[in-house]
Amino acid sequence: MVQHSALDTSFAALADPTRRGILQRLGRGASTISDLAEHFEMTLTGIKKHVHLLEVAGMVVTEKRGRVRYCMLGANPLEREVAWIRDYQTSLQSRLDRLDEFLTRTEGTS
């Protein structure tokens, strides 16, 4: 069974368009907090909050070099999230298949 608190953290991190944008940006390479703030037209404090949530979810890693904090993609490959989505999709498909079978059986009996 998947731990729902870990899923909650991941999906909360992915729920915000700015955080998804940060992940996309970091997919092209490491970036500083300052560069991210400029790219997203946001204050350093605002970007730091978004990066922190992504860091808690394991999607981003930060490293301080001198006075500069660099951000890069983390090691979370989203496997547990994808597994949960696949389980949900399988469950939903099963229900839809049963509905289709029911409608096929009852078609024309009214």
Side-chain angles (χ1 to χ4, degrees):
M1 184 72 170
V2 175
Q3 288 186 352
H4 288 287
S5 63
L7 284 174
D8 292 345
T9 301
S10 295
F11 287 131
L14 293 171
D16 185 87
T18 299
R19 290 191 287 274
R20 291 191 306 271
I22 290 169
L23 291 173
Q24 285 180 319
R25 169 59 190 85
L26 295 178
R28 294 189 299 268
S31 182
T32 66
I33 292 282
S34 297
D35 289 341
L36 289 173
E38 286 178 19
H39 180 77
F40 290 97
E41 297 181 7
M42 191 175 283
T43 65
L44 287 175
T45 302
I47 281 293
K48 284 179 186 178
K49 289 178 182 181
H50 284 293
V51 167
H52 175 72
L53 290 172
L54 291 167
E55 209 169 6
V56 168
M59 297 176 191
V60 168
V61 175
T62 64
E63 177 184 314
K64 193 167 185 178
R65 298 181 207 153
R67 294 180 50 171
V68 179
R69 182 164 296 278
Y70 288 86
C71 305
M72 53 222 92
L73 290 179
N76 179 358
L78 300 176
E79 288 175 1
R80 97 183 135 229
E81 294 80 3
V82 169
W84 184 87
I85 291 169
R86 282 191 183 130
D87 287 346
Y88 180 78
Q89 185 179 30
T90 299
S91 175
L92 181 59
Q93 189 60 52
S94 175
R95 293 182 73 185
L96 290 173
D97 289 345
R98 288 194 308 269
L99 175 61
D100 184 51
E101 290 170 10
F102 172 76
L103 293 174
T104 300
R105 275 195 326 266
T106 59
E107 194 173 282
T109 60
S110 310

